[in-house]
Structures are given as structure tokens and as C-alpha cells.
Amino acid sequence: MLGIVLLALILAAVYAIAQSTVAPQVRETTEYNHAIDTLSDMQSLQVDTISAADTGSLQGSIVKMGATYPFKFLFIHSTDPTGTIKTTESKPLSIENAVARDNETADYIDGRELVYQSVGLRYSPDYSEYRSAPDLEITPSGVLYADHPSTRKVINEPAIVDGRTISLTATDGELYSSQGLPQMMHVMPLSTSSTTVRVTNETDASPVTVTMDTELNLSTWRQILKGEIDSDTSRTNPRSDSDSQYIAEVDKSGETLELVFETGESYLLELSKLGFKRASQPTLSEASQPNVTYLTAESDQDPTVVENNTVELAVEVRDSMNNPVSDVKVSASAPAGDISRPAKLSGTDGEVRFEYTAPEIIADTSVKDSETYQVTTQIGVGSGTQVVVVFEVQVQNSYN
């Protein structure tokens, strides 16, 4: 009997030691491994944002929100680790002093500040032992970083600047999920294309400038952009020195980061808008879609055609991100001549093509060898406002 009592006491002592030492170690190891898995998941999600912007296709990745401890100890309440993923507060992302080199596009991109709102996506673990585990955030500017208690470590960043190409992606959505089960997260393209707009500045006093709100410090951003910063230029001396680096200065005031570009150069501006959502959520609302903003000519605006002959006139509908928009009604009119189907919907490439048949010129060529007619194309962009593109068609007289 005494032996049984001693054995029970020994087992109780061993169990007590296991409760106080082994159980926390098991939990911490489980949580640490889960943190590594979640980092990989968030990296995949950040890559999804780049892919969705590049391809215009829906992307998705599974985020393992929590984990399961391999075994439980009696009399110890240990809830399996979980996590929370949510969109962050919307932050401004802007570009100013950029003037499009195409005349029609310059009606919209004319140097004024263009401001877009962008949200981030943040994962926060809820662990009982691994207390120093960082939150993981994809910032509104697309940078993935680990938010440790004492420091922020950049994991991956998009190519916001690549030589003379400036790529800005705004993100939208309202997402919140707190649980332990894996969740499929979607990245939806709301406005993407291969369209680039060539822009430049007007004077040395007004360089192309990109600004964004960010929690990352200035030295981190200088490290991210180190291959693009030209140490030979500055805000006060931004004139391009014709090398392969085009950022004259990177500065930060409060939360606002400012990228000042060299003057006297042309830049390729790429803008995209994406949406975050869980797979189980409905499609994002129309309010998330960028507004139809302007119309630009895709064919010669000063074509020449012989009387009674037909010329094709093409325009493209674009949104506030400079990307093509489908299913927008475009109308065309002219004081003379004929337009077959004077009202059409834009195609998947945003384009509409009108066939204009020139009128006959009732005069001898010795009196009038040509005459110019205006063909006006237009769209409505809300509140009764019309945006127009005018073609000056020169009609040649063929009468001898």
C-alpha cells in the first residue's frame, strides 16, 4: 500500500513539473511555428497585391488564423491560439506636379494634386506564451513589415519606383475576422491595366512629387528606395543629371513621406486600385470602383478623308486611375456628314470606334479644295457634366 502511495506522489510531482515547465514550452513552440506559417501567408497575400495589379486577375491566399496545441494538460485551461486580420484606417496616397504629355490626358493630369485613399491589412496573433510575436501589416503603400514591440522590420516591398516608372496602388475594402480557422483572403482588381501615362513637370520649381502617410521611419524608406535615390540632386537642385537614378530627395514630416523626383525627365505613371475581402464576403460595392473621369483620343485627331468617304475615329474611356472602363455610353455628333451608330458602349479595353462618313463639298476644287468639320465625342461623368474629345476632320474636295 505504501508503494502505491509513493508512486502516486511521484506521478503527481512529475505532473506538476510538466504543468509548470513542459506545457508552456509546448505552447510556445506551437505558437512560434504558427507565427512562421502566418508570415509566409502574409507574404503570399502581399505578392497577390502585386499580381492582381499586374494581371488584372482575382488573386487569393489562405491565412492560417490560428493553431491547435498538440495535447492538453488536465486542470490547465489553455485556449488554442487565434488571430485577428482586419483592414486598417484609410490613408492618402497622392501625386502632384505631374503633367501628361498627351494633350487630351493633360486635361485631367494637369499638374494638380491627385489624391487616392488606401487601406492596409493587419494580422495580430493572440498567443499565451510567445508574447513577443509581431503583428504583420501590409501598409496602404503595399509594404509588408513585422511590427515587433521595439522595432519594425520590412519583409517585402513593391517596386513603387523603378527607374523612370512610378507605380502606385491604392487598396480598398472593409474586412475584420477574429478566429482560429484558416481564412481565404481575396485581392480583387478594381482598376488595373497595362496603360501607362507619360508625365513630366513644368518647371524646376514644381518637380513631380509623390506623398503618402506611413508609420515606417525615414531611414527605413531610404533603405527601401536606396537604388533609386540620386545623391547628386536634391529638392533645391532637382535638375536631372541624366543618370539612372531619378529621386532627388526623400523626406518625412510627421507621418507624411515625400518623394521628390528630378525635373526635366519624362516618367511612366502606373496607377491601380485593388480591394481586400474574405472569400465568403460579397463583391465590393460600386462605391469602391474608381469614377469614370475622362475621355482620350486613340486615333488621329486631325484626320484627312476624301468627301463621301469614311474615316474611323477612336476614343477611350478612363477612370480616375487612368485605366480603361467598359460599358460606358459614348456619343458622337457632327454638323455635317453621317455617323453610323452615334451612341455606343465602351468595350473591355475602354475603346469606342465611330465611323464618320464625310459630306460632299458642293464646289469646284478651284474654289474650295477642302473643308474642316468637327466631330464631337462625349461622355457624362456625373452631375450633368460632359467630357468631350473633338476631332477636326479635314474633308478633301474631289470635284474637278
Side-chain angles (χ1 to χ4, degrees), residues 6 10 34 54 59 148 156 184 186 190 238 289 330 348 352 370 377 381:
L6 288 174
I10 292 171
H34 174 258
D54 286 345
Q59 304 292 319
H148 293 272
N156 194 23
M184 170 62 81
H186 281 171
L190 299 175
Q289 301 286 343
V330 184
T348 55
V352 173
S370 67
T377 58
V381 292

Side-chain angles (χ1 to χ4, degrees), residues 134-279:
D135 286 6
L136 303 170
E137 181 172 328
I138 301 172
T139 69
S141 56
V143 178
L144 172 63
Y145 75 94
D147 194 1
H148 293 272
S150 59
T151 186
R152 293 185 173 112
K153 180 183 178 182
V154 172
I155 307 300
N156 194 23
E157 69 275 351
I160 296 173
V161 180
D162 184 8
R164 291 189 294 112
T165 299
I166 302 171
S167 302
L168 303 178
T169 299
T171 45
D172 200 359
E174 190 172 342
L175 186 155
Y176 181 91
S177 179
S178 184
Q179 58 176 290
L181 297 176
Q183 291 288 298
M184 170 62 81
M185 300 294 170
H186 281 171
V187 180
M188 292 182 58
L190 299 175
S191 175
T192 62
S193 78
S194 58
T195 300
T196 57
V197 177
R198 192 173 295 276
V199 300
T200 189
N201 64 292
E202 288 192 310
T203 69
D204 285 351
S206 57
V208 173
T209 303
V210 170
T211 59
M212 64 188 78
D213 279 13
T214 176
E215 295 180 351
L216 300 176
N217 61 34
L218 180 58
S219 62
T220 298
W221 275 104
R222 285 180 173 161
Q223 180 65 25
I224 290 172
L225 298 165
K226 65 180 180 179
E228 309 296 336
I229 301 172
D230 191 342
S231 59
D232 297 325
T233 55
S234 65
R235 182 192 300 270
T236 56
N237 180 31
R239 194 68 183 174
S240 173
D241 55 2
S242 301
D243 58 14
S244 60
Q245 297 166 311
Y246 299 95
I247 299 179
E249 189 164 314
V250 179
D251 200 6
K252 192 168 188 273
S253 176
E255 283 197 350
T256 303
L257 180 77
E258 192 173 52
L259 312 183
V260 180
F261 288 82
E262 293 180 345
T263 58
E265 291 285 353
S266 287
Y267 297 96
L268 293 176
L269 179 61
E270 298 177 338
L271 298 173
S272 302
K273 187 173 184 181
L274 307 173
F276 290 125
K277 63 181 285 291
R278 284 183 294 158

Side-chain angles (χ1 to χ4, degrees), residues 42-105:
M42 290 296 284
Q43 285 178 295
S44 296
L45 200 53
Q46 195 255 359
V47 170
D48 285 343
T49 65
I50 299 171
S51 298
D54 286 345
T55 66
S57 300
L58 177 71
Q59 304 292 319
S61 289
I62 293 174
V63 177
K64 291 179 278 295
M65 299 290 290
T68 302
Y69 296 129
F71 53 86
K72 303 281 199 307
F73 289 86
L74 288 174
F75 312 117
I76 297 180
H77 178 69
S78 54
T79 304
D80 286 333
T82 60
T84 299
I85 192 166
K86 63 181 180 179
T87 45
T88 64
E89 181 183 357
S90 178
K91 301 286 187 180
L93 180 67
S94 68
I95 183 167
E96 64 178 331
N97 299 329
V99 180
R101 305 202 68 159
D102 173 75
N103 288 336
E104 290 296 334
T105 308

Side-chain angles (χ1 to χ4, degrees), residues 13-33:
V14 170
Y15 190 78
I17 293 172
Q19 284 182 320
S20 61
T21 59
V22 177
Q25 291 175 5
V26 169
R27 289 197 295 267
E28 185 170 14
T29 298
T30 301
E31 292 165 359
Y32 180 80
N33 290 334

